[in-house]
Amino acid sequence: MMNIRELLQTRPLLFDGAMGTYYKAAPGVECEQANLTDPAGVLAVHREYLAAGADAVKTNTFSLPRLAAAHAPGWEQLAQAGWQLAVQAAEETGAAVFADLGPAPDTEAVPAGQVYTAVAKQFAALGARNFLFETLSSDAGLLDAVGAIKAEVPDAFVLVSFAVLPDGYTREGMYCKDLARRMQESGIVDAVGLNCVSAPGAMRTLAKQLGGTLPLSVMPNAGYPIVTRTQVKYQGRPEYFARELGRLAAEGTVQILGGCCGTTPAHIAALRAELDRLPVVKKTAPAEEFSTVKKQTVENEDAFLRKLNAGEKVIAIELDSPRTADLTGYLEGAKKLQAAGADLLTIADCPIAQARMDSSLVACRVHRELGLCTLPHMTCRDRNLNATKALLLGLYAEGVREVLAITGDPIPTAERDEVKNVYQFNSRKLAQYIVSLAGEGREMPGPMTVFGALNLNARNFDVELRRAKEKLENGMSGFLTQPVLSAQAVENLKKSRKTLGADAKILAGIMPVVSQRNAIFMENEINGIHVEDWIIEKFAGLDRAQGEELGLAISLEMAKAALPYADGLYLMTPFNRVALMERLIGRLKQEVLGAY
């Protein structure tokens, strides 16, 4: 079969188009099943693309990583049948065959790297020497699998292709230039590129932004999809598809080309004609090296961050936004807390999944009118990538420089088929996405500081700490903890400080309990909070004034115990009792913070 490396020395490599949208599978039947149920049909599609001029074909096995992760019976047989059909077709023209692996789910129980490795080894055993990992939105576990391939097949050619939106981000919020750079720096990936999601014009723009010494690949969709009652159609014309990609090849930007969703043999034939008009060269000139010059740092600290980074103990205080459209009372409360000595106002994003005024809009209003630093909570719930990005850009423009990234509570509903939650990524991926928006040539001139949640009351705190480390690795700078209302929570805070290090900023959560009923409710109905029995018992028979006084006393004791291991305090306002929190801040400054 064809030697990919030798071919790329003289001319571009042309892949086939999209088996999944061209092969007419029965409704509800996965295209890959046809390897066993309709081998003649799959073989015919391969031959059509090769007759159109493709140099390489992909095995009809895109969904195998997902099937393998789910332990679907027979996925090995689908791999074998798909491989044999592609090889049979390719032998007739001498084309190359690539083992095709789509995205694998990445879970703690079955990591993506484990899945990719199992499927890739299956193909290697069948004789595969070329591998395509395509339509990826993340590189989780990918390099582990590539390393395993190279160990078994040292001369293997591995192409990795990411699916990105026209703005350059994957659906998991990863930036294409960062992903390409990691593939470049790995030393084991042979080519990198983009496929799917974007149409030819948008992908051409994206490809021109990518640099590196690795061969670059582009395989766009035929166009953007049109959804009819029964199917999804792509109406992009072959002539336009070929012209846009031909320009990239002529400029020397890309060395590997092909098609994804909606591309037919007609698209590949048109592109073949464009490529055949290019002059033959001895060697494709390498693209510009990735820059190793450090990007200029933008001074981006506000008053809260300057104080925190200077080592001073800070006070952040949470005040839930109103349930109505009237902000008058809220702004008055925020102003009182600011005067009492709060350094930062945090605003929850519809806590307990109950609608309130948008936390980001409230944060902008408070910052604009009071000059108080704000930390809006941003959940992964109910916002897709576009909505999240739009909100972040607005926050930055309004001068908000901190955000708390959390997964968020799911919306409770009995109508599960009618009300759907949107969870496009978790808090770790959200943090990575927020951080990636800043930098030279990107949407934000300077970075936003991302905080996360740390549950000191987690039953398996070692797991919670492991996740906290992952959050730091993904760009978070620190944590706001759940309320400290037990000796165990203090011990876990101490352990956190030792494990996460001094660079991770930790604000210890303090929430005054105000009554026995309040304590019982928090213990039983609020996730992540543990109130010890002795605290619950102490509130028996107390009226409101007595309850508040006892709540203040306990909060002061918890703050004293927590502060040696924290960079500040995160105060949570119960029932919007601003006057109570004014008293708490005053006593903290007088009785606790003075020691620091």
Side-chain angles (χ1 to χ4, degrees):
M1 286 188 182
M2 180 184 299
N3 185 303
I4 303 299
R5 293 181 178 86
E6 290 181 1
L7 182 142
L8 290 175
Q9 297 296 312
T10 59
R11 65 178 177 85
L13 172 73
L14 177 59
F15 263 92
D16 55 3
M19 173 71 75
T21 54
Y22 187 61
Y23 176 83
K24 306 303 181 185
V29 177
E30 294 198 54
C31 179
E32 291 79 3
Q33 295 294 332
N35 293 339
L36 298 174
T37 61
D38 182 23
V42 173
L43 186 61
V45 172
H46 284 317
R47 285 171 171 163
E48 283 191 59
Y49 280 119
L50 290 168
D55 299 310
V57 292
K58 305 180 288 288
T59 58
N60 181 32
T61 55
F62 174 82
S63 69
L64 250 59
R66 178 173 54 81
L67 297 175
H71 304 291
W75 72 264
E76 297 93 340
Q77 287 72 32
L78 288 176
Q80 182 175 3
W83 171 256
Q84 291 173 345
L85 290 169
V87 169
Q88 181 181 344
E91 284 176 345
E92 299 166 6
T93 65
V97 176
F98 276 72
D100 188 31
L101 290 80
D106 185 40
T107 64
E108 291 187 11
V110 186
Q114 178 181 319
V115 178
Y116 286 137
T117 300
V119 178
K121 285 187 174 182
Q122 182 75 16
F123 279 115
L126 292 168
R129 294 298 178 268
N130 305 313
F131 298 80
L132 168 62
F133 294 86
E134 62 151 312
T135 323
L136 307 184
S137 57
S138 163
D139 58 349
L142 181 61
L143 294 180
D144 292 338
V146 176
I149 291 172
K150 296 287 187 173
E152 294 215 1
V153 188
D155 63 340
F157 188 93
V158 179
L159 166 59
V160 175
S161 184
F162 297 98
V164 303
L165 296 161
D167 65 355
Y169 289 88
T170 73
R171 64 181 177 83
E172 295 193 28
M174 296 186 177
Y175 192 45
C176 61
K177 292 179 72 172
D178 295 334
L179 291 166
R181 180 176 290 106
R182 290 202 285 273
M183 298 303 102
Q184 163 80 21
E185 294 172 348
S186 73
I188 55 176
V189 171
D190 298 286
V192 66
L194 308 173
N195 79 290
C196 204
V197 182
S198 293
M203 191 168 288
R204 181 173 181 269
T205 301
L206 289 169
K208 291 173 72 68
Q209 299 173 11
L210 298 180
T213 54
L214 292 181
L216 184 62
S217 165
V218 292
M219 301 186 202
N221 290 346
Y224 288 103
I226 297 173
V227 181
T228 67
R229 288 184 177 181
T230 58
Q231 60 184 146
V232 176
K233 295 182 178 180
Y234 294 83
Q235 296 184 332
R237 296 180 179 180
E239 296 77 14
Y240 175 77
F241 177 88
R243 184 175 70 248
E244 290 298 303
L245 296 194
R247 290 168 65 188
L248 277 174
E251 295 163 356
T253 305
V254 300
Q255 296 77 43
I256 301 172
L257 306 98
C260 204
C261 298
T263 52
T264 67
H267 291 81
I268 300 305
L271 182 52
R272 175 80 277 165
E274 285 284 337
L275 296 180
D276 287 345
R277 286 193 281 269
L278 297 178
V280 176
V281 295
K282 291 185 178 181
K283 185 175 181 179
T284 303
E288 184 181 353
E289 293 276 1
F290 283 111
S291 174
T292 56
V293 179
K294 292 185 178 179
K295 297 181 177 64
Q296 183 178 359
T297 302
V298 178
E299 178 61 37
N300 214 51
E301 291 185 345
D302 56 18
F304 167 75
L305 287 175
R306 283 194 292 272
K307 185 174 180 179
L308 181 65
N309 292 329
E312 300 179 52
K313 301 292 186 183
V314 295
I315 294 178
I317 186 162
E318 183 170 306
L319 187 62
D320 287 342
S321 56
R323 298 179 186 273
T324 69
D326 184 4
L327 264 180
T328 305
Y330 186 89
L331 290 171
E332 291 175 356
K335 190 172 184 179
K336 291 178 180 178
L337 295 173
Q338 179 184 28
D343 299 297
L344 179 81
L345 186 74
T346 84
I347 308 156
D349 185 5
C350 298
I352 324 179
Q354 295 181 3
R356 290 176 175 269
M357 194 179 293
D358 184 86
S359 60
S360 295
L361 293 178
V362 173
C364 292
R365 181 79 177 272
V366 169
H367 182 265
R368 190 186 316 124
E369 294 199 11
L370 304 182
L372 178 61
C373 297
T374 54
L375 177 78
H377 300 195
M378 181 173 288
T379 66
C380 303
R381 175 199 64 220
D382 301 328
R383 288 189 195 93
N384 62 16
L385 196 66
N386 281 351
T388 299
K389 181 177 182 179
L391 196 57
L392 288 165
L393 294 177
L395 284 169
Y396 192 93
E398 284 284 346
V400 177
R401 293 294 182 265
E402 294 90 51
V403 67
L404 178 76
I406 53 177
T407 301
D409 302 314
I411 297 176
T413 175
E415 304 296 334
R416 295 187 178 181
D417 293 334
E418 295 181 15
V419 182
K420 298 184 182 298
N421 297 323
V422 177
Y423 284 98
Q424 196 155 358
F425 34 51
N426 58 31
S427 60
R428 297 183 293 274
K429 293 178 180 178
L430 175 56
Q432 185 181 67
Y433 178 59
I434 296 171
V435 172
S436 75
L437 290 174
E440 183 181 351
R442 304 193 190 182
E443 289 84 346
M444 293 180 183
M448 293 187 80
T449 300
V450 185
F451 290 90
L454 179 63
N455 185 5
L456 299 177
N457 306 305
R459 291 188 177 183
N460 190 337
F461 192 65
D462 288 336
V463 172
E464 182 74 6
L465 270 183
R466 188 182 76 239
R467 288 175 179 164
K469 288 181 182 178
E470 292 174 358
K471 291 176 181 180
L472 292 173
E473 291 168 359
N474 280 279
M476 289 191 184
S477 298
F479 304 95
L480 277 62
T481 81
Q482 291 283 32
V484 178
L485 286 166
S486 68
Q488 186 59 54
V490 175
E491 285 301 310
N492 287 342
L493 178 61
K494 182 178 180 181
K495 187 175 183 179
S496 300
R497 172 54 72 208
K498 182 178 180 180
T499 303
L500 301 178
D503 290 339
K505 304 301 182 183
I506 302 176
L507 305 188
I510 301 295
M511 184 174 188
V513 179
V514 294
S515 69
Q516 189 173 63
R517 181 180 179 183
N518 174 224
I520 293 172
F521 179 84
M522 287 197 295
E523 171 65 16
N524 289 278
E525 295 204 31
I526 300 183
N527 184 40
I529 295 182
H530 170 58
V531 184
E532 289 194 317
D533 290 341
W534 68 266
I535 294 178
I536 296 175
E537 293 167 2
K538 271 184 171 289
F539 282 90
L542 300 185
D543 60 23
R544 173 166 175 158
Q546 292 170 328
E548 286 192 352
E549 191 58 37
L550 177 58
L552 289 175
I554 293 174
S555 294
L556 290 167
E557 290 303 312
M558 293 297 170
K560 289 177 183 177
L563 263 180
Y565 317 109
D567 300 283
L569 299 173
Y570 162 44
L571 310 181
M572 285 159 267
T573 306
F575 308 111
N576 276 6
R577 295 187 186 180
V578 171
L580 172 66
M581 302 311 284
E582 287 182 279
R583 291 166 58 197
L584 177 57
I585 294 173
R587 292 183 62 177
L588 283 169
K589 285 181 167 291
Q590 182 179 2
E591 302 176 32
V592 181
L593 292 170
Y596 296 91

